[in-house]
Amino acid sequence: MRSCLILSLLGSISTALGADVWTVNCGVLTIQRSDPIVSPGGPSSHVHAISGGTAFSRNMPGIDDAVNAKATTCDKYTDHMVPQLYNRRNGMFELVPFTGANMYYKRFACDYQEGGQWCPRPSGARPFPPGLRMVAGNPVRRTQTHSEQSNQAILYETGDVGEMYGFPKVLQGRLQLNVRFPSCWDGKNLDSPDHRSHMSYPDPTKGDTQGGMCPSTHPIALLHIGGEFGFNTDALNITDSSTLVFSMGDTTGYGGHADFIQGWEDLSALGSSFDNCNGFGDACAWNSFGTPDGKAGVKSDMDPEIPAVYEEEIGLNGPIAKLPGDNTVWDGVVSALSTACTVLPLPSPSTLMALTLTTSPVIATVLPTTLLPSTLLTLPTSSPTSSIPTPPISTPTSISLDPLITQEPSTSSSQSPSSTSTSTRRHVRPTPLFMPREQYEKWLKWIEDLSDDVLDEISGYM
């Protein structure tokens, strides 16, 4: 009904002006532990619900891999995926039925113009470059920062209460995850190491997450995608969201995210579709383009051309005892954990774990008992907001503001300080100290005494 209403409203707009919004309606393709963007070729860290082209698989490195699909669950060609939702009942995890997606394509962003403030109409937003892929949202986020556009772009709906941040406390019918993808491109990269940096939201002083003028760092405006991803909580009689958890262990909803892979066959038609609607059905470009026969498509459920790989039960055959991928359910025990937790690379085999928390300068380094007591250590400081117990060490009188060294110092005198690998974040930390065996044993005892909840929480971010 909602899609029909929108199309009716758009149909009343003068064809001379064209329209700035149209929809893509998608059925369910597959639910599997795969993500060809973040984890190409192998299992992803958590289960995803996927809609779109039937060419979806774990390995899609080519520009045209999505375009070459033989069919699609949508009424037009496009590929999207979101984390699968689970419900906790009687100590088990049951799959909440994924109902598909409605994708709203909007022409609201415009290219960066030095000294400009407002976008013209039409805005001139371009179709996606071939091979573009991106991720909106952050699966490890567990708090809401209202000033961050990436946080503003993840919302939820249930019933008729409107959009909100985080899981609604009371559910009225189905739960809907709304994701606003960034629409400003750097003009160079089809992807980036974090799958986000090549894209940006419009300048917050000249627009919002759905449209406006692009920033100078990402000057090229692309069509905006607003996704609505549905989960049928009503089918399981769920009215209290406290039992819900995403496949990556998120119980807040703040970690909601979505992936996009460019799968449009005719990008020229995509670009002109906003201006060339002459009616409904096959006569309207946004209904017909991108489908194999040029006819208006139909939303439907399908199977992927390449069968899914399942290393474990994910809930398709009934409730399961744990989240796939051994993901830990987040319960807020470690309150200091950042929404942008980073595991630092430690190539030396003597270091087993390093957890960097960007909201507070807490650094934990665990070493095996076989090391000599004179091993050089970077000892942690504690945060007032952290629920992790303070380790049994005294705070040094000398504090260094140098970047955190992520490799153990070389014993070679030929290595200069500038050649040492460093983190891009700066942390207040003690100067390196030589730890005597007695202190080292106290440190290990402190690690061993940490509660299982704390250790499970830390391991979930590794």
Side-chain angles (χ1 to χ4, degrees):
M1 287 296 295
R2 183 174 186 179
S3 298
C4 293
L5 174 61
I6 289 177
L7 288 176
S8 296
L9 291 174
L10 293 180
S12 66
I13 299 176
S14 167
T15 55
L17 291 177
D20 287 326
V21 181
W22 49 255
T23 62
V24 177
N25 305 297
C26 300
V28 180
L29 179 65
T30 180
I31 298 173
Q32 54 179 281
R33 197 176 147 203
S34 302
D35 186 338
I37 296 179
V38 179
S39 305
S44 58
S45 63
H46 53 277
V47 176
H48 287 93
I50 298 106
S51 61
T54 55
F56 178 87
S57 72
R58 285 183 171 179
N59 195 25
M60 302 177 68
I63 289 179
D64 294 327
D65 283 345
V67 175
N68 292 332
K70 297 177 181 178
T72 177
T73 69
C74 308
D75 54 9
K76 304 167 197 66
Y77 267 71
T78 183
D79 285 336
H80 309 91
M81 68 195 86
V82 293
Q84 174 59 42
L85 187 66
Y86 289 85
N87 180 57
R88 292 170 288 172
R89 196 193 305 266
N90 299 324
M92 303 289 281
F93 297 87
E94 56 184 351
L95 205 80
V96 179
F98 176 57
T99 60
N102 295 323
M103 312 304 297
Y104 292 81
Y105 281 66
K106 306 175 183 181
R107 187 174 59 175
F108 289 162
C110 63
D111 290 353
Y112 169 76
Q113 295 290 333
E114 186 175 0
Q117 181 66 34
W118 309 108
C119 288
R121 187 177 181 191
S123 72
R126 298 165 172 77
F128 313 110
L132 181 73
R133 49 191 63 196
M134 58 178 159
V135 175
N138 187 341
V140 302
R141 183 166 70 90
R142 300 292 181 267
T143 59
Q144 177 71 23
T145 303
H146 294 286
S147 60
E148 292 286 339
Q149 287 179 299
S150 60
N151 288 199
Q152 299 168 13
I154 307 298
L155 306 102
Y156 294 86
E157 280 189 83
T158 185
D160 57 359
V161 297
E163 292 183 315
M164 63 190 71
Y165 298 120
F167 287 147
K169 294 185 181 300
V170 178
L171 302 178
Q172 303 175 17
R174 79 168 192 165
L175 177 66
Q176 182 174 288
L177 165 63
N178 296 345
V179 179
R180 299 170 182 172
F181 284 88
S183 51
C184 297
W185 180 41
D186 66 8
K188 302 175 183 177
N189 301 293
L190 300 177
D191 198 356
S192 51
D194 64 358
H195 314 294
R196 298 171 179 83
S197 298
H198 61 302
M199 299 294 296
S200 172
Y201 291 98
D203 185 331
T205 66
K206 302 177 182 180
D208 56 24
T209 55
Q210 300 185 80
M213 186 172 292
C214 289
S216 60
T217 56
H218 297 74
I220 306 300
L222 304 179
L223 299 176
H224 170 73
I225 310 171
E228 298 178 344
F229 303 90
F231 293 95
N232 194 356
T233 50
D234 196 38
L236 299 179
N237 297 315
I238 305 169
T239 58
D240 182 352
S241 69
S242 64
T243 60
L244 297 180
V245 57
F246 270 132
S247 54
M248 65 283 190
D250 176 29
T251 57
T252 67
Y254 297 130
H257 58 283
D259 297 15
F260 167 80
I261 300 176
Q262 200 304 108
W264 294 99
E265 285 186 324
D266 191 338
L267 290 172
S268 295
L270 174 62
S272 61
S273 62
F274 291 92
D275 299 315
N276 298 331
C277 180
N278 299 314
F280 293 100
D282 297 338
C284 185
W286 64 54
N287 283 337
S288 60
F289 78 88
T291 55
D293 57 4
K295 302 293 183 180
V298 178
K299 170 183 175 179
S300 58
D301 295 344
M302 295 183 178
D303 293 321
E305 298 165 27
I306 299 176
V309 177
Y310 296 103
E311 290 86 1
E312 60 196 323
E313 287 287 341
I314 66 169
L316 295 173
N317 300 313
I320 52 180
K322 62 179 182 178
L323 289 176
D326 292 327
N327 285 303
T328 302
V329 175
W330 194 87
D331 57 9
V333 171
V334 184
S335 59
L337 285 176
S338 167
T339 61
C341 179
T342 302
V343 178
L344 296 177
L346 294 168
S348 169
S350 66
T351 303
L352 300 182
M353 178 181 73
L355 181 65
T356 300
L357 309 174
T358 57
T359 53
S360 58
V362 180
I363 301 149
T365 305
V366 182
L367 304 174
T369 57
T370 55
L371 292 182
L372 296 175
S374 61
T375 300
L376 189 64
L377 295 178
T378 300
L379 300 180
T381 60
S382 61
S383 166
T385 60
S386 175
S387 60
I388 302 176
T390 303
I393 59 175
S394 58
T395 303
T397 57
S398 176
I399 299 295
S400 169
L401 292 178
D402 294 333
L404 173 66
I405 297 176
T406 60
Q407 291 179 319
E408 289 187 344
S410 170
T411 56
S412 171
S413 60
S414 62
Q415 183 177 11
S416 65
S418 62
S419 64
T420 304
S421 175
T422 60
S423 166
T424 57
R425 292 188 175 94
R426 302 180 72 87
H427 298 268
V428 177
R429 63 174 177 85
T431 52
L433 300 176
F434 286 94
M435 178 181 286
R437 178 172 293 278
E438 180 181 359
Q439 180 62 62
Y440 177 65
E441 291 174 350
K442 290 182 180 180
W443 173 265
L444 290 179
K445 180 65 167 57
W446 174 79
I447 293 293
E448 293 169 356
D449 289 343
L450 288 176
S451 70
D452 290 340
D453 286 338
V454 171
L455 291 176
D456 288 344
E457 194 59 41
I458 292 175
S459 67
Y461 282 81
M462 295 300 292

